Amino acid sequence: MNRLRNAFLAPAWVVFTLLFFAPLAVIAAYSLATRGTYGGVSAPASLESWVRLADPLYLVILLRSFALAGVATFICLLLGFPLALFIARAGARRNLYLQLVIVPFWTSFLVRTYAWMFLLRETGLVNSALMALGLTREPLPLLYNNGAVILGLVYGYLPFMVLPLYATLERMDRALLEAAADLGARSWSALWRVVIPLSAPGIRAGSVLVFIPCLGAYLTPDLMGGGKTIMIGNLVQNQFTTARDWPFGSALSLALMVIVMVLLMALVRRGGEEGML
Amino acid sequence: MDTVLTLQAVSKQYPGHRAVDNITLEIARGEFFSLLGPSGCGKTTALRMIAGFEEPTSGDVFLGGERINGKRPYERNVSTVFQSYALFPHLTVRGNIEFGLRHKGKRFAGEMDRRIRAALEMVHLENKENRRPAELSGGERQRVALARSLVLEPEVLLLDEPLSALDPKLRKQVRLELKSLQRRVGITFLFITHDQEEALSLSDRMAVMNRGAVEQIGTPEEIYLKPRSRFVASFLGGMNWIDSGGLRPEVTHLGAEPPGDGERSLPATVVHSVFLGNFVQVQVRLASGETMIAETGRRDVAFRNGDAVHIWWRAEDELHFEAEARK
Ligand SMILES: Nc1ncnc2c1ncn2[C@@H]1O[C@H](COP(=O)(O)OP(=O)(O)OP(=O)(O)O)[C@@H](O)[C@H]1O
Ligand SMILES: [Mg+2]
């Protein structure tokens, strides 16, 4: 029995080791090396990269990343919850609507981001339309700011919020809503006191699935933020490209990973206590 | 009769299916009234139209003399005990009971705590008020569902097969408790069941439903002893069908000799007998090939399979049907 189990687990272990633990070990080693002149790393070992993490400059970037990812996650929740509720109640049409939620994944995220830039730039569709309608005389600064980054993040990760929310809402017993109405709760009270508390697992799962990739995003802040709004992902990317400081890039990404893991564990533990995640 | 709830020619039409067909009912204040009928006959649909989860296609519902068609469930002074109980899993026992008081029971503001405690005591759950539904037994959940509705003192309590989720042994015990609870609180109960024994033992009056329509309304005695249709007769216990009507097995007797004048009898052969403790159920075959069931005391002569016997009954025990059920 045990041998059979090991046999089945073996491929997973191989994959994990090759694709996850090994690269992680390499990065950990890099973070403790000295920066090579043309990229790469060289001897001797040094803690310098880790010490540099304490620089307030990077702390600011980290906090900004948390703030942007947090706001994007919250907006995803605000938009995703009603959408998921609507789909869960749509009866025979639910599968169609679920397909529509996933449709954006059929094309590359890069292409879709450029499409947004095309819409939002000064001479873009939105500004042209606003000006043609006489609603504004100057083009509005829709692109290359925090707002644009958040828009891009929300757009990109909304499906990751909708799907787990849909899964919990769809499973919810209709009789509970009828009981709420029977006991005197109007729709809003029922929503606050029954539907939302019972969707906690979906809210938690969706928030994690949106927050974590948002935190590490680099494409969206790079393109829609115009390089002005640097997030931690851009910082890491820069270390490996223009700055040619692989040890520091490695230390940054490891630090980010540890922070995310600690957050995730806290959340899972809370979910475990409530018996709901 | 002080009528609290009236259904006036109420029907519910679903696409291609008439779930409730022209029901008229009057339920008295404080009464234990049952709706009895086979699965799919429209009992739940009728109840849901009273609770406000469905609207009648035609007909009117009156509660305390006021027409309540079109009112939302939270505007109706009735409360439902759901078949699945529908307890809120994220709230404690106390939280579940408090839920209704906060919304529908606003008139009790100021005495909420006292009322919750009284409700908990009423269903003997004082020491479990902080448990979640998942930490309760089936019987306890059922009591929470009852307490949660009763604490609102609704004009009518609607119960949709509240005992069917319990195991059979517990069911009988809870049945007795339910009846005494209803007597104590004096609230009108509208109780749905497909179990004739439940309906007979609990109800002050009851209605038997078949295919969306009410076949007969009356006290359990009236309905059992004077069923108006073949459907009602056979739904509420065993029946032997004879040319002129029907006979209950318990008034059908067996003898080795033909009975005296004045009794009706037929010659028959014993096919099978079942010992049931306090009586014996004997199946016999008539010359015509039809079978009948007789119930005899266990002290009576023991009949063996193949014995030639006479099956007999008193003319006054025959049931005759004025209104024939649509088959
Ligand atoms: N929403 C609906 N749409 C269409 N038909 C329905 C709907 N709800 C119920 N029905 C039909 O109406 C009939 C009566 O249903 P109802 O639930 O009232 O039966 P019931 O007497 O409560 O049966 P049971 O004892 O099995 O609970 C059934 O044939 C059912 O299929
Ligand atoms: Mg039913």
Side-chain angles (χ1 to χ4, degrees):
Chain A
M1 197 60 214
N2 233 339
R3 203 181 279 174
L4 188 67
R5 213 183 78 177
N6 288 341
F8 272 103
L9 285 178
W13 278 111
V14 171
V15 168
F16 256 114
T17 310
L18 282 180
L19 298 182
F20 187 72
F21 292 121
L24 210 59
V26 170
I27 291 177
Y30 276 15
S31 78
L32 293 169
T34 303
R35 148 185 194 190
T37 324
Y38 304 105
V41 292
S42 66
S46 134
L47 278 175
E48 201 207 316
S49 301
W50 286 96
V51 174
R52 269 178 71 201
L53 285 178
D55 189 329
L57 178 66
Y58 304 125
L59 198 65
V60 167
I61 294 177
L62 187 69
L63 286 180
R64 180 161 55 221
S65 305
F66 267 87
L68 288 175
V71 170
T73 306
F74 188 65
I75 295 176
C76 278
L77 184 58
L78 288 186
L79 295 177
F81 196 92
L83 181 57
L85 197 59
F86 170 78
I87 298 175
R89 302 274 174 84
R93 294 210 125 132
R94 328 171 145 170
N95 285 335
L96 172 70
Y97 293 142
L98 279 179
Q99 289 296 322
L100 289 178
V101 168
I102 305 171
V103 158
F105 291 140
W106 291 0
T107 52
S108 127
F109 185 51
L110 189 63
V111 171
R112 286 182 283 138
T113 305
Y114 275 115
W116 269 111
M117 295 172 70
F118 174 75
L119 286 175
L120 297 180
R121 66 186 178 189
E122 288 198 353
T123 54
L125 219 55
V126 174
N127 270 322
S128 314
L130 287 177
M131 279 157 55
L133 290 171
L135 292 173
T136 165
R137 244 180 291 145
E138 301 280 295
L140 299 175
L142 299 175
L143 204 53
Y144 307 135
N145 51 37
N146 282 344
V149 173
I150 290 173
L151 174 70
L153 292 176
V154 168
Y155 166 75
Y157 295 107
L158 187 59
F160 294 107
M161 181 64 86
V162 173
L163 296 179
L165 279 177
Y166 166 80
T168 34
L169 289 169
E170 192 262 342
R171 270 202 318 255
M172 196 173 293
D173 186 0
R174 285 303 293 258
L176 290 176
L177 293 183
E178 289 182 349
D182 187 85
L183 295 169
R186 285 152 193 271
S187 318
W188 278 108
S189 308
L191 185 68
W192 276 113
R193 297 171 141 264
V194 178
V195 180
I196 290 180
L198 287 178
S199 334
I203 293 176
R204 222 174 290 143
S207 300
V208 167
L209 287 179
V210 172
F211 184 77
I212 289 176
C214 279
L215 195 61
Y218 67 91
L219 194 66
T220 311
D222 198 29
L223 295 178
M224 301 201 39
K228 272 191 288 180
T229 352
I230 285 196
M231 287 176 73
I232 193 104
N234 306 109
L235 190 61
V236 173
Q237 191 200 15
N238 284 345
Q239 301 314 310
F240 285 96
T241 54
T242 46
R244 290 186 190 162
D245 193 343
W246 290 22
F248 186 54
S250 304
L252 269 175
S253 46
L254 275 182
L256 183 65
M257 204 180 101
V258 169
I259 293 171
V260 166
M261 260 164 54
V262 168
L263 282 178
L264 206 61
M265 260 147 60
L267 209 64
V268 167
R269 178 161 313 157
R270 242 197 93 206
E273 270 164 22
E274 292 167 31
M276 293 211 286
L277 194 91
Chain B
M1 182 163 99
D2 177 12
T3 304
V4 61
L5 178 72
T6 306
L7 300 192
Q8 187 63 54
V10 168
S11 296
K12 179 72 188 182
Q13 179 77 43
Y14 287 122
H17 183 78
R18 202 165 186 80
V20 167
D21 189 7
N22 197 25
I23 283 189
T24 296
L25 282 181
E26 286 201 345
I27 295 172
R29 202 173 289 282
E31 190 171 37
F32 196 122
F33 193 98
S34 297
L35 273 184
L36 172 69
S39 183
C41 73
K43 306 180 294 290
T44 298
T45 307
L47 189 97
R48 290 172 62 81
M49 290 191 285
I50 300 168
F53 303 132
E54 309 276 355
E55 276 304 311
T57 313
S58 62
D60 297 310
V61 182
F62 296 91
L63 184 68
E66 184 197 356
R67 184 171 176 274
I68 56 169
N69 292 46
K71 283 205 171 189
R72 311 293 308 147
Y74 48 77
E75 296 167 328
R76 300 182 179 204
N77 192 13
V78 298
S79 190
T80 309
V81 175
F82 292 83
Q83 185 165 3
S84 59
Y85 307 144
L87 299 179
F88 302 121
H90 59 299
L91 300 179
T92 59
V93 169
R94 170 176 268 269
N96 268 279
I97 295 176
E98 204 177 303
F99 190 99
L101 280 175
R102 280 191 185 287
H103 294 98
K104 223 175 214 179
K106 292 218 177 76
R107 66 184 189 282
F108 301 127
E111 45 173 337
M112 290 234 303
D113 241 37
R114 191 184 62 71
R115 286 193 162 266
I116 293 172
R117 231 170 308 123
L120 285 166
E121 268 168 41
M122 177 175 68
V123 294
H124 313 297
L125 286 170
E126 304 94 311
N127 51 359
K128 306 216 162 126
E129 60 170 299
N130 291 321
R131 297 236 192 132
R132 301 265 169 101
E135 302 160 340
L136 298 174
S137 74
E140 287 164 346
R141 281 180 213 167
Q142 192 254 4
R143 268 140 58 200
V144 177
L146 263 176
R148 174 174 86 167
S149 287
L150 281 176
V151 77
L152 301 174
E153 295 185 4
E155 288 208 79
V156 180
L157 184 70
L158 309 168
L159 303 105
D160 191 353
E161 313 213 18
L163 307 182
S164 65
L166 304 177
D167 67 82
K169 235 185 193 159
L170 189 59
R171 206 176 297 169
K172 283 205 171 162
Q173 180 199 334
V174 172
R175 195 202 283 173
L176 292 173
E177 286 170 11
L178 194 64
K179 177 77 175 183
S180 78
L181 185 66
Q182 192 263 341
R183 282 287 170 267
R184 249 183 303 145
V185 296
I187 289 176
T188 313
F189 275 31
L190 177 54
F191 179 88
I192 284 188
T193 180
H194 59 249
D195 182 328
Q196 37 111 0
E197 209 180 297
E198 250 169 50
L200 290 174
S201 62
L202 285 170
S203 319
D204 296 317
R205 287 191 313 139
M206 57 196 273
V208 183
M209 284 183 69
N210 182 25
R211 299 173 160 232
V214 168
E215 294 249 334
Q216 188 171 359
I217 301 175
T219 63
E221 291 82 1
E222 281 166 1
I223 291 191
Y224 187 83
L225 298 174
K226 295 197 180 72
R228 275 186 48 214
S229 68
R230 284 171 182 264
F231 172 81
V232 173
S234 54
F235 195 72
L236 273 102
M239 272 316 262
N240 290 315
W241 298 109
I242 52 180
D243 290 343
S244 51
L247 272 177
R248 293 275 182 217
E250 66 267 22
V251 296
T252 310
H253 309 282
L254 287 184
E257 305 296 320
D261 287 351
E263 324 288 16
R264 307 201 165 167
S265 84
L266 289 166
T269 317
V270 175
V271 179
H272 188 61
S273 57
V274 186
F275 177 69
L276 287 167
N278 49 348
F279 66 96
V280 183
Q281 209 172 52
V282 184
Q283 191 181 14
V284 300
R285 175 166 288 117
L286 306 179
S288 64
E290 283 172 76
T291 60
M292 287 175 80
I293 306 254
E295 285 172 10
T296 69
R298 63 186 159 93
R299 290 179 193 283
D300 291 357
V301 197
F303 295 101
R304 291 164 193 278
N305 296 354
D307 283 358
V309 291
H310 288 269
I311 189 163
W312 62 272
W313 62 93
R314 295 187 179 88
E316 70 260 32
D317 285 333
E318 281 184 11
L319 299 174
H320 305 283
F321 305 107
E322 13 176 315
E324 271 314 299
R326 296 154 302 164
K327 212 191 137 203

